Amino acid sequence: MFASFYCIAVLCGVPLSHGTPAVALPCPSGCCHSGYLGLQKPDSNGIINSCIPTFGTCDRKNKTHECCRGHSCLATGSPAGAPDSCQPIGEADGDERQMFYWLFPATQVDPATAPLLVWLQGGPGASSLLGLFFENGPLSLQEDSNGEIVVSNNPSAWNSQANLVYLDQPFGTGFSFANASQYITSEQGMPEVAIWLRLALLELAKVQPQFASSVLANANGGDARKLWLSGESYAGKYVPYLATEIGTYEDPLSQSLLAGGLAIGDGWVDPPIIVASYPLFAYSHGLVDYPQRIAMEKNVSLFQAALAQQKFELATEIEHGIEHFVEDVAGVNAYDIRHIGSYNFSIAEVYLNDDKVRAALGVVTGPDAPLFQISNSAVNDKLKGDISKSGVGVMSHLLDTYRVLLYNGAMDMDCNILGTLDWLHTVPWRGQNEFNTTSSGRQQWTANGGVAGWSRTVHNFTQLVINNAGHMVPMNQPEVSLAMINTLLSGKPFV
C-alpha cells in the first residue's frame, strides 16, 4: 500500500532516557524522534511518589526495557515500586497519563542551540499529526493515481530554523492516552489542559535534552533556549493558557518563553465575539443574502442568550448550527469559503494505523491496539461546554509580556479576521490605544516576491492577515507560512 516509507525504527545515536524510550527515525530532513511522555501531577510538595509505567513488558532477564520514569530493569531486578509488567497503551491505570510527541530537529541551524517550536492542533480532539502531515511538518502524505499512500518531503516545513515538536493533546487525542474517566472536561477547562502541557514540556526536556532543554549546554552556560508556542483554531485557547501556566513559575521554562513567544493561527480565542461576526462575514462575501443574514443574526442572539444563562453546551450547538447553515446555503466549507465540501484527512488514519508505521513510532501494534483517529469525538464531547466559552481573559498579560503573532487566513469564516479584530479591540493592554486609534498602522507584508498579506505591529504584537488562505494557512500557503514563522523566529519586522 505504501509507495514510499521513511519511518523505519532506527536509532540516530541519541541517548534514550527518562520515561518511555523515544524512537529516533530517519526522515528526509534528518533524524526525528517520537515517543511517549509519562505524566503525573506532583503532590503539594512537588514530589511524584509513584512510578509511572509505560507500555510494554519489563524484561528482567535481558535488562533491556525501561519500565518507569527513572527506573529500569537492573541486574538486581526491578526497583521497589516498579512493576514487572507495564501497562499497555489504552489501559492506563491510576493517575498515569501518556502524551505522544514527535520531534524534528532544526535543519538549517544547530539543533543544540535552536529554539524549540511547539505545535498544537485544535479541535478540541484533533491530532497535531494533522498539522505535521498536511500543514507545516517535514513529512507530507498524498494518495497517488493508484491509490497508494506516498510520503514525501515538505520543503516548507517549519523546522528549518527551530526544533519542531508536535504534541497530541488533550489526553485521548491522536496517540495520547489515559482512561476515559481521566479525559479533561469542560468543568476543568483550559487551566487543566495547561497544567498537563507544561508537565509535558518539562518531561520532553528530560527525554530530549539536546533539542528541548530550556537551558542550553553551551560555552556561555545558562543561556535560555527560546521557546515558541504555536497552534491554530482551538489552540487559540491552548496556547494562551499554556503560556499563562508557564509564566506563573520562576524557572528555566518560563525564561525560555520570555525569550521566545507565541504564534496563533485563526485562533478560537473569544467565541462570543467571533460567532457574532459570522453574519457580516457571510453577507460581505456573498455567501448569504440580506434575509439570510437577518436569520443568522437572530441565531447569534440565541447563542448569546444561551451564554448568558450559562448553557454552554446549548450555545455550542447553536454555533455549529449557524456555521452549517452557511455551508448548506452556499455549498462552501466554513474553514475556507473557496473550498467546496468538507476536508478529508482520512489518508492519515490509514497510514498511522499501519503496524509498520506504529512500530516505527513506538506505538503499540496488533488487533487490540486502539485505532488512531485524526479527531477524537469523545475528547470533543468532554469539552463541549468549553467550546463556546471565551478565553480572552488571559490575553492582556500575554500581550504585555511576550512577543505575540496572531495570523488569520483571509478566506476563513470559522475563525475569521473580522471576529479577531473585534475581540482584539476589547483587550486592555499597554498597546491597546495605539492599536485601536492609529490609522496608518496596517501595511503590506511581502514574502516570496509578492504581497503575502497585511500586517499591523504595535510594541511586541503583530496581527497578520494572509492572502489567499483559509483556516489552515500552512496548508494553503506553505511557502508564505514558512516565511512568516521564520520572520517571527528571527525577530525581524513584518514589512
Side-chain angles (χ1 to χ4, degrees):
M1 176 178 289
F2 304 114
S4 179
F5 179 70
Y6 290 105
C7 295
I8 309 299
V10 178
L11 299 181
C12 293
V14 178
L16 307 179
S17 61
H18 300 287
T20 304
V23 179
L25 311 174
C27 302
S29 57
C31 287
C32 56
H33 312 270
S34 63
Y36 279 94
L37 305 170
L39 305 179
Q40 187 178 41
K41 283 184 181 178
D43 63 20
S44 58
N45 297 315
I47 298 173
I48 294 177
N49 293 310
S50 61
C51 178
I52 301 176
T54 64
F55 62 90
T57 300
C58 185
D59 188 344
R60 284 188 177 186
K61 180 178 179 181
N62 296 317
K63 315 173 192 67
T64 56
H65 186 81
E66 186 176 66
C67 258
C68 302
R69 178 182 15 214
H71 299 302
S72 58
C73 301
L74 305 176
T76 55
S78 295
D84 291 334
S85 178
C86 301
Q87 296 289 337
I89 287 179
E91 296 181 17
D93 193 16
D95 197 32
E96 169 222 348
R97 294 163 172 84
Q98 299 281 349
M99 188 175 293
F100 180 79
Y101 75 94
W102 197 341
L103 185 148
F104 297 82
T107 59
Q108 296 181 16
V109 295
D110 183 2
T113 57
L116 178 64
L117 175 60
V118 178
W119 176 264
L120 302 174
Q121 211 69 36
S127 169
S128 290
L129 304 192
L130 188 158
L132 191 164
F133 286 115
F134 300 102
E135 295 192 82
N136 50 29
L139 302 175
S140 295
L141 291 181
Q142 293 92 26
E143 193 170 26
D144 66 16
S145 58
N146 297 319
E148 292 185 322
I149 296 176
V150 178
V151 186
S152 59
N153 183 24
N154 175 17
S156 298
W158 281 17
N159 68 320
S160 63
Q161 304 295 318
N163 301 326
L164 175 60
V165 65
Y166 297 85
L167 296 175
D168 269 348
Q169 63 82 47
F171 298 106
T173 300
F175 283 130
S176 294
F177 70 93
N179 284 332
S181 62
Q182 296 172 322
Y183 286 5
I184 295 174
T185 66
S186 299
E187 290 72 26
Q188 295 170 307
M190 293 303 102
E192 183 74 6
V193 169
I195 289 171
W196 289 106
L197 274 171
R198 177 180 173 272
L199 292 174
L201 292 178
L202 293 173
E203 186 66 11
L204 182 67
K206 298 176 184 177
V207 173
Q208 300 289 352
Q210 67 276 47
F211 305 124
S213 175
S214 296
V215 178
L216 299 176
N218 58 17
N220 295 324
D223 288 353
R225 184 192 301 274
K226 292 182 180 179
L227 172 63
W228 294 91
L229 306 177
S230 70
E232 74 183 12
S233 195
Y234 212 77
K237 290 187 180 182
Y238 297 151
V239 169
Y241 275 88
L242 173 56
T244 301
E245 173 70 10
I246 290 173
T248 61
Y249 296 82
E250 295 183 4
D251 61 6
L253 187 63
S254 66
Q255 293 302 309
S256 289
L257 185 58
L258 280 170
L262 290 61
I264 300 171
D266 295 78
W268 188 248
V269 178
D270 195 358
I273 291 182
I274 293 173
V275 173
S277 71
Y278 285 176
L280 178 57
F281 184 93
Y283 182 67
S284 63
H285 286 81
L287 303 178
V288 298
D289 59 22
Y290 187 74
Q292 290 166 333
R293 173 184 171 179
I294 298 302
M296 290 179 67
E297 289 174 347
K298 291 180 179 178
N299 282 317
V300 169
S301 296
L302 294 176
F303 168 79
Q304 293 170 334
L307 289 179
Q309 298 170 35
Q310 297 189 1
K311 297 179 179 179
F312 298 112
E313 292 194 5
L314 174 60
T316 297
E317 293 173 0
I318 295 171
E319 181 273 322
H320 290 341
I322 297 171
E323 280 194 296
H324 293 326
F325 173 78
V326 176
E327 291 180 324
D328 291 342
V329 167
V332 300
N333 187 323
Y335 296 98
D336 186 343
I337 62 173
R338 304 167 303 169
H339 185 83
I340 304 301
S342 301
Y343 291 130
N344 184 355
F345 301 115
S346 60
I347 185 176
E349 296 180 342
V350 175
Y351 181 71
L352 292 168
N353 282 314
D354 180 84
D355 281 349
K356 293 179 181 178
V357 177
R358 294 171 72 103
L361 294 174
V363 177
V364 74
T365 62
D368 296 327
L371 291 176
F372 174 88
Q373 301 176 71
I374 203 70
S375 183
N376 189 330
S377 60
V379 174
N380 189 282
D381 288 344
K382 285 284 188 178
L383 286 166
K384 184 177 180 180
D386 185 81
I387 292 174
S388 58
K389 295 179 183 178
S390 176
V392 78
V394 300
M395 289 302 300
S396 294
H397 173 70
L398 302 182
L399 291 171
D400 281 336
T401 307
Y402 303 104
R403 187 167 190 204
V404 178
L405 168 66
L406 296 179
Y407 64 92
N408 288 78
M411 296 294 104
D412 176 23
M413 189 190 86
D414 180 73
C415 298
N416 65 74
I417 183 58
L418 298 180
T420 298
L421 289 173
D422 285 346
W423 70 254
L424 270 173
H425 291 316
T426 70
V427 179
W429 64 291
R430 63 192 176 99
Q432 181 185 26
N433 184 63
E434 184 177 353
F435 185 84
N436 289 349
T437 61
T438 303
S439 61
S440 60
R442 188 174 295 282
Q443 57 187 314
Q444 296 177 7
W445 175 56
T446 58
N448 302 319
V451 177
W454 302 272
S455 69
R456 180 83 184 279
T457 298
V458 174
H459 298 291
N460 288 327
F461 168 58
T462 296
Q463 186 265 318
L464 187 63
V465 184
I466 304 297
N467 193 21
N468 292 321
H471 190 74
M472 303 173 73
V473 169
M475 181 177 75
N476 299 142
Q477 293 288 346
E479 294 179 354
V480 167
S481 79
L482 177 60
M484 175 191 73
I485 199 66
N486 284 347
T487 298
L488 181 67
L489 295 176
S490 70
K492 296 177 181 178
F494 283 86
V495 294

